[in-house]
Amino acid sequence: MRTLGELQPKGKRVLVRVDYNVPLDEGRVQDDTRIRASVPTLERLLSGGAALVLMSHLGRPKGYDPAFSLAPVATALETLLQRPVRFVPSLPSSAATREAVAELAAGQVVLLENVRFEAGEKKNDPALAEAYARLGEAFVLDAFGSAHREHASVVGVARLLPSYAGTLMEKEVKALGRLLHHPEHPYWVVLGGAKVSDKIGVIESLLPKVDGMAIGGAMAFTFLEAAGGEVGASLVERDKLDLALRLMDRARALDKPLLLPSDVVAAREIREGAETRVVPADAVPAGWMGLDIGPATREAFASALTGTRTVFWNGPMGVFETPPFDAGTLAVAETLAALDAYTVVGGGDSVAAVNRLGLADRFSHVSTGGGASLEFLERGTLPGIEALGGLSPEEVVP
Ligand code: ADP
Ligand code: MG
């Protein structure tokens, strides 16, 4: 993968694909973690004498929609960079945008409008990629969180300009690569979140490499029901029951423990203050939903993780947005933070939980990519990495 060390930025207009897919609240950036994460790359390019044209997506707009404008991000970025950031409101592919970036001087920064306003972005339309390529003389991909997307602003443009990975991209690939290629053992994976279907690939590819997996969140109920449990009104992916059985068989064949919850916190509705009961995970009463792992499971997961040397965690253990169903997720976050191990957390919601507890700096690595980190762990590469030349054997085992 080509990196910034190979780029001479002086006097160049550098087009940078960043990941500014941040939560907005009434026109203000609610959490600037992803914007902060881009600053080292931007500062390095600016101090090297470049002018910067930044582009990103935000949310899932269907065509142009001012509610998904990146304008508020420009304001937040100005504060972080401590220099002016000009926002260009026209479509990134338009002549107006081309004119706006034509006269940029070294040290100047412009932020383009949401690339998802472009119909061709997700289709990786070659004409759109060409329009992007006209905006810079070199391309830097630093949007790790989007590097699993075959979109025009990620891979399309990378193939048309001299292109390099930014420092965030590099850091993510190194941190996650360690989980794949040279983890210290014992090595455990903790998975939670909403859907088994999002995480099948990673379960299959990591099972042979790990010493065990702990599964919580809604996805546990698909396994519990497949194993013959009564899960009441808990979330189950009925079309994934066979798959869950197959994964459990595979874990058994490999002699790898696949820990499921023994007890869960159940309620009849997802609401703060709802009546709750702690029930066996395989005997949830009809009409009740398992919304968090229970206290016995919290302890079992903590004791399985004690003494581990490597842990990857993705997905909350319950509906952590709504207390008291956040207790299991908070407990796992605290357990991991206290370990003397290489700990990596990835996934928008799990990372939000870690941040809420102020525990981020007690993890070895907090990934800015949810889907991207899972896909990287599953396949060992991503379309964005391939577009930058792929990983050499030395990069895989440094
Ligand atoms: P991440 O963003 O960390 O990758 P996911 O997006 O896969 O995680 O899943 C997060 C969602 O899963 C949260 O919105 C959470 O409320 C939901 N969730 C977790 N456990 C349960 C459960 N037992 N029942 C219903 N939803 C759950
Ligand atoms: Mg999520």
Side-chain angles (χ1 to χ4, degrees), residues 24-114:
L24 295 179
D25 185 27
E26 300 190 3
R28 285 172 141 250
V29 173
Q30 225 183 25
D31 176 354
D32 67 356
T33 309
R34 284 180 162 164
I35 309 178
R36 262 173 215 285
S38 75
V39 168
T41 291
L42 306 187
E43 276 179 346
R44 177 158 167 182
L45 291 168
L46 287 167
S47 67
L52 302 183
V53 178
L54 312 180
M55 61 177 175
S56 175
H57 80 284
L58 192 157
R60 295 169 180 224
K62 304 204 171 18
Y64 180 79
D65 179 346
F68 292 89
S69 173
L70 276 161
V73 172
T75 314
L77 181 60
E78 276 192 334
T79 314
L80 291 171
L81 280 182
Q82 294 185 304
R83 65 168 83 209
V85 174
R86 199 164 115 228
F87 178 67
V88 183
S90 46
L91 275 183
S93 67
S94 65
T97 297
R98 213 142 55 234
E99 266 162 44
V101 306
E103 299 300 327
L104 278 187
Q108 291 184 325
V109 183
V110 301
L111 174 63
L112 305 185
E113 186 51 289
N114 194 340

Side-chain angles (χ1 to χ4, degrees), residues 72 74 91 111 144 146 185 198 245 247 275 319 364 382 389:
L91 275 183
L111 174 63
F144 178 75
S146 302
H185 290 269
D198 289 347
L245 274 182
L247 290 171
E275 185 195 343
V319 183
S364 309
L382 294 172

